[in-house]
Amino acid sequence: MKHDRFDRWLHGERDSLLNRVELRPQTEYEPSEEELRKIQAEHEYLREKIFQVEQNYKLRLFQRLYRVAALVFCVVFTSIMLITVSWLPKAGDPSNPANPDSNEVSARYIERGLQETGAVNIVTGMILDYRAFDTFGESNVLFVATITVMILLRSAPGQEEEDNQLHPGREDVILMKVAGLLVPVILIFGVYVILNGHLSPGGGFSGGTIIGAGLILYVNAFGFARIQRFFTERTYKTICFCALTFYCLAKSYSFFTGANHLESGIPLGTPGAILSSGLILPLNICVGLVVACTMYAFYALFRKGGF
């Protein structure tokens, strides 16, 4: 049963019971003034006669102890935080961890980053090799956030046909002509930034953002009907699922071999060449795909509730 649900979700198939269950909109209940007075009288009766709040010694003792405990907790917590801050290294101290000369981690990145990762760009080597699982978690956060928004912003029944018009509003000839010229350039530049991330400033996050902006410009100029010819909900789910799965498997293998001092068999290539840095290039592509799809997905969901 769970496998069938996952398969339907992955292929973009709608739930057979969606919009077929009878639902009646509920109106908010607003009590009258007489009912409010009755509720207040019952509350006061319970407080005075049943619970005897004013004469209940144990309850009054508990309230006093609760206030004292809250005060003690705040004082102790504040003291611990102040003591912790007092032990932090002073700004400008040569032994400060921010100083590369005293920080073994940053020194390792700088001195052996090129040798161990094959990436000329030290930042890319750090986030996609040394800290690759952190980047994987960030990509998963984007994917889960998009799925959550997708659930919350489903289109109302009968609204999809109206939203899928070729031009949701008035045709803007200037926007269409400019978008026709700029969108290919934006997409190519985004691909360049992704593929060049291990050689110079760039990478999956920045390149994916550029591609996502190009898709948003395209849908603003030509409408959802045109973009749905090549980018649908099923396309988004397939791309993100495959990219995140490859990322997880690739880095799991890399970390397993590294932790056990085994040869991974993944060549680092020649530093400075496009086909170098081992797994960093394909991982950059995976991150770029997830970011690009997520950017467009958020825009589409907030604009019309679906793809």
Side-chain angles (χ1 to χ4, degrees):
M1 185 63 181
K2 293 183 179 179
H3 176 73
D4 295 338
R5 293 180 179 176
F6 175 78
D7 189 64
R8 287 200 306 269
W9 169 83
L10 180 61
H11 294 85
E13 299 177 2
R14 300 180 67 87
D15 193 338
S16 59
L17 298 179
L18 185 63
N19 298 328
R20 294 186 178 182
V21 180
E22 182 180 1
L23 296 176
R24 296 180 180 179
Q26 301 294 323
T27 57
E28 184 179 358
Y29 173 72
E30 297 182 358
S32 62
E33 295 183 1
E34 181 64 27
E35 291 175 328
L36 290 175
R37 285 195 295 267
K38 183 184 295 185
I39 294 174
Q40 183 66 23
E42 292 177 353
H43 176 74
E44 293 178 356
Y45 179 82
L46 290 175
R47 181 181 176 86
E48 297 177 1
K49 303 298 183 182
I50 305 300
F51 299 108
Q52 298 180 350
V53 175
E54 301 299 333
Q55 293 79 23
N56 194 329
Y57 171 76
K58 294 182 178 180
L59 180 59
R60 284 186 290 146
L61 179 61
F62 172 79
Q63 291 175 345
R64 293 176 182 175
L65 292 177
Y66 181 84
R67 295 190 184 98
V68 173
L71 180 61
V72 171
F73 174 80
C74 292
V75 171
V76 172
F77 181 77
T78 304
S79 302
I80 293 175
M81 297 301 296
L82 291 175
I83 294 173
T84 303
V85 171
S86 67
W87 282 91
L88 292 177
K90 298 180 180 180
D93 190 344
S95 62
N96 195 321
N99 188 349
D101 296 333
S102 62
N103 192 331
E104 297 180 0
V105 177
S106 60
R108 176 67 173 263
Y109 292 162
I110 296 173
E111 296 173 1
R112 303 188 62 181
L114 178 61
Q115 175 185 353
E116 295 179 343
T117 66
V120 178
N121 186 351
I122 298 178
V123 176
T124 302
M126 179 182 65
I127 65 176
L128 287 178
D129 193 281
Y130 294 113
R131 296 178 58 248
F133 269 134
D134 293 344
T135 307
F136 176 65
E138 295 167 2
S139 302
N140 275 283
V141 168
L142 292 175
F143 181 63
V144 173
T146 310
I147 295 300
T148 304
V149 175
M150 186 186 305
I151 295 173
L152 297 176
L153 298 181
R154 284 289 187 181
S155 297
Q159 188 180 354
E160 294 183 0
E161 183 177 354
E162 178 182 354
D163 290 331
N164 287 332
Q165 294 177 356
L166 181 60
H167 302 287
R170 178 177 60 86
E171 292 188 10
D172 193 329
V173 178
I174 297 178
L175 178 60
M176 294 172 61
K177 295 297 183 181
V178 173
L181 295 174
L182 290 183
V183 169
V185 177
I186 293 174
L187 297 181
I188 293 175
F189 181 67
V191 172
Y192 160 77
V193 172
I194 293 176
L195 299 180
N196 204 52
H198 59 298
L199 305 178
S200 65
F205 282 102
S206 51
T209 303
I210 296 172
I211 295 177
L215 294 175
I216 293 174
L217 175 60
Y218 183 90
V219 76
N220 273 284
F222 302 103
F224 285 96
R226 286 279 293 273
I227 199 171
Q228 284 180 348
R229 297 177 182 177
F230 60 90
F231 195 102
T232 61
E233 181 178 344
R234 180 177 180 180
T235 306
Y236 164 77
K237 292 177 180 178
T238 302
I239 291 177
C240 289
F241 179 77
C242 293
L244 293 174
T245 301
F246 174 81
Y247 193 115
C248 180
L249 295 177
K251 289 313 300 180
S252 296
Y253 169 76
S254 176
F255 280 140
F256 174 79
T257 56
N260 293 276
H261 305 286
L262 302 174
E263 292 292 335
S264 64
I266 302 174
L268 297 180
T270 303
I274 186 66
L275 296 178
S276 62
S277 71
L279 289 173
I280 292 181
L281 177 59
L283 295 183
N284 249 335
I285 296 175
C286 292
V287 173
L289 290 174
V290 173
V291 172
C293 292
T294 302
M295 279 196 60
Y296 169 75
F298 273 133
Y299 176 82
L301 289 167
F302 278 105
R303 179 168 174 179
K304 61 185 282 287
F307 287 81

